[in-house]
Amino acid sequence: MYIINIGTLVGVDGEGFLSRRGKDMNKLGLVENAWLHIDNDRFSDWGSMEMLPDIGTEPVVDAKGGFVYPSFCDSHTHIVYAGSREREFIDKINGLSYEEIAKRGGGILNSADLLHSTPEDELYRQSMERVREITAMGTGCVEIKSGYGLTTADELKMLRVIARIAESSPMKVKATFLGAHAVGRAYAGRQSEYVRLVCDEMLPAVAAEGLADFVDVFCDAGFFTVEDTDRILTAASAYGLRPKIHANELAISGGVQIGVKHNAMSVDHLERMGEEEIAILSQSRTVATMLPGASFFLGMPYAPARRAIDSNAIVALASDYNPGSSPSGNMRMVMSLGCIKMKMTPSEAINATTLNGAFAMGESSDYGSIAKGKKANFYITRPMPSTDFYPYAYSTPVIKQVYLNGKAID
Ligand code: NIG
Ligand code: FE
């Protein structure tokens, strides 16, 4: 299939970078007035309309001056959950903090109660609505975490739902086991025993069914300690599960250090960062994944993207789509927040929401840019004045047609 008359083809990569770090994050391949060729489900070639090859009898789509972008790669979500938590939204409006809500037994435990009483099929149905929502907004590769189960049975239920989504959605889906998201209710006051349950019962069960690609721990003030995290990541490494952890959202928690020590794919959140944490990430291949939607929604500081990029880190942006701290999977908004609130350039924000997000999921050889042989996950926009317009006009609908695996999605 040929896409012709593309105003600007964005995110083109002739060299096949697996990630971009530091200064290179500001490099974004662009071809103006372009065509793009897709062979079955993969990109095969592109060029300028002035040198359009003989199309023969292949199907042609006329982009009519619209732009083509590689699909967003959202490397941190919790989109499998039951119900919603707008009651806490009102608590927050009335002055309670995220930590205060959690301490009162709301927050994650509230979602765990709801998930427990929701049958698996219904959980799948509710989650698929969000899957369709983010697909329509341009996401083509997504990581989904467990962590609202907090018992072995309910964590397995969540991970099975993620596996069903992976089977039935045209998006690429990666699964992360987050048993240590909060201490389950039955273990209140017995955190160490809960960590033992995660290590000795949940992890083996998850691994036996092959339900997870990665392991996560909420390593932060009021949640799991560095020692807990060390225990869980050590246990998970025996099953080949690499970490992608929640760190430094509520305090300078030591999460960055313990994540990097365990060769994490990524350390995520990072709203509270000292110089040491930045220096460590700038020397490592662990991705600094920042979640500006959570900062926006909770009124927290934004993670220091500028400092991290200027220090040569690999920065990704993700949505954190979840019912408590970021009830949105809108990656275009995330990209705009990166520019508006974190002073990223539009090119940096595109790389952070596509290629570096894919790298944070171990999927950048197949997703995250328009490169020969990569999966044809992309979308066509309406015509725009420039690539800078896209994060700038942050709520103007521009996506006209999404394609996943080379096929148009309704
Ligand atoms: O990434 N910070 C920890 N976990 C989620 C929030 C989960 C919830 O509140 O339900 C997050 O923000
Ligand atoms: Fe999260």
Side-chain angles (χ1 to χ4, degrees):
M1 169 177 70
Y2 278 87
I3 317 278
I4 61 165
N5 295 322
I6 300 167
T8 304
L9 180 60
V10 183
V12 173
D13 176 10
E15 285 157 85
F17 286 106
L18 293 182
S19 66
R20 287 190 185 270
R21 70 187 309 147
K23 278 195 182 59
D24 285 343
M25 282 187 66
N26 202 29
K27 294 187 184 149
L28 186 64
L30 304 176
V31 182
E32 272 166 36
N33 191 26
W35 57 268
L36 174 66
H37 185 243
I38 289 128
D39 191 6
N40 279 314
D41 58 346
R42 292 184 187 263
F43 299 121
S44 68
D45 208 358
W46 59 80
S48 158
M49 282 302 286
E50 279 140 38
M51 308 222 290
L52 180 66
D54 180 13
I55 285 176
T57 55
E58 284 207 45
V60 179
V61 173
D62 189 343
K64 298 186 177 144
F67 290 19
V68 166
Y69 283 82
S71 292
F72 290 119
C73 297
D74 190 351
S75 62
H76 181 138
T77 84
H78 310 247
I79 56 174
V80 170
Y81 60 82
S84 52
R85 304 220 307 261
E86 61 274 19
R87 203 184 301 153
E88 291 166 24
F89 175 60
I90 304 303
D91 289 343
K92 278 180 219 128
I93 291 170
N94 290 329
L96 287 188
S97 72
Y98 184 79
E99 286 121 306
E100 284 163 338
I101 292 168
K103 274 205 196 96
R104 291 196 326 180
I108 295 165
L109 293 180
N110 191 350
S111 285
D113 294 342
L114 274 167
L115 186 130
H116 180 71
S117 58
T118 303
E120 193 170 311
D121 281 345
E122 172 60 14
L123 183 62
Y124 170 74
R125 193 196 63 74
Q126 291 184 20
S127 304
M128 277 305 283
E129 283 181 19
R130 287 182 283 273
V131 167
R132 281 187 282 269
E133 180 196 355
I134 65 171
T135 305
M137 290 191 292
T139 296
C141 180
V142 67
E143 181 252 21
I144 311 175
K145 298 172 191 297
S146 71
Y148 293 124
L150 310 182
T151 64
T152 304
D154 287 344
E155 284 294 309
L156 290 172
K157 171 163 119 182
M158 279 191 85
L159 288 163
R160 286 188 197 117
V161 167
I162 299 172
R164 272 172 80 180
I165 293 171
E167 288 249 304
S168 59
S169 163
M171 272 194 303
K172 175 71 183 175
V173 175
K174 302 289 274 194
T176 298
F177 166 60
L178 174 55
H181 197 192
V183 175
R185 279 203 199 279
Y187 285 78
R190 296 186 291 139
Q191 179 149 329
S192 188
E193 283 172 57
Y194 183 74
V195 171
R196 194 181 318 140
L197 177 80
V198 171
C199 294
D200 296 351
E201 191 179 299
M202 290 188 191
L203 265 170
V206 168
E209 288 191 41
L211 288 171
D213 300 300
F214 306 113
V215 63
D216 192 349
V217 175
F218 189 5
C219 178
D220 224 319
F223 289 84
F224 293 91
T225 65
V226 169
E227 292 68 36
D228 296 334
T229 307
D230 200 20
R231 277 171 67 191
I232 294 166
L233 300 189
T234 302
S237 75
Y239 300 102
L241 299 179
R242 278 184 68 187
K244 286 173 68 64
I245 67 170
H246 282 73
N248 296 51
E249 173 186 2
L250 307 170
I252 297 191
S253 64
V256 170
Q257 287 83 342
I258 197 71
V260 170
K261 179 184 145 196
H262 282 274
N263 192 25
M265 304 288 294
S266 66
V267 288
D268 303 29
H269 269 291
L270 314 181
E271 287 86 353
R272 327 274 166 173
M273 293 282 277
E275 288 308 318
E276 183 186 315
E277 284 75 12
I278 300 264
I280 288 170
L281 290 173
S282 63
Q283 308 285 322
S284 107
R285 281 166 63 82
T286 295
V287 177
T289 299
M290 303 181 174
L291 311 168
S295 298
F296 173 73
F297 188 77
L298 295 181
M300 287 190 300
Y302 286 82
R306 197 61 275 143
R307 270 202 291 153
I309 294 170
D310 293 343
S311 307
N312 204 36
I314 307 172
V315 174
L317 294 174
S319 73
D320 198 17
Y321 196 171
N322 76 74
S325 66
S326 182
S328 163
N330 186 336
M331 286 294 280
R332 191 268 185 90
M333 172 85 177
V334 165
M335 175 181 72
S336 291
L337 287 172
C339 297
I340 298 163
K341 295 291 188 184
M342 299 155 97
K343 306 294 175 215
M344 297 169 79
T345 66
S347 297
E348 288 170 344
I350 292 281
N351 278 316
T353 49
T354 57
L355 185 67
N356 286 356
F359 185 65
M361 295 183 267
E363 286 295 332
S364 60
S365 54
D366 263 335
Y367 300 91
S369 62
I370 295 181
K372 286 180 194 174
K374 281 199 186 182
K375 280 283 171 101
N377 285 14
F378 64 99
Y379 53 88
I380 303 177
T381 73
R382 294 173 202 290
M384 295 190 286
S386 70
T387 46
D388 294 345
F389 179 88
Y390 189 29
Y392 151 83
Y394 64 92
S395 73
T396 304
V398 298
I399 295 184
K400 221 170 68 179
Q401 181 65 57
V402 169
Y403 290 82
L404 295 178
N405 308 307
K407 292 202 179 67
I409 302 294
D410 307 329

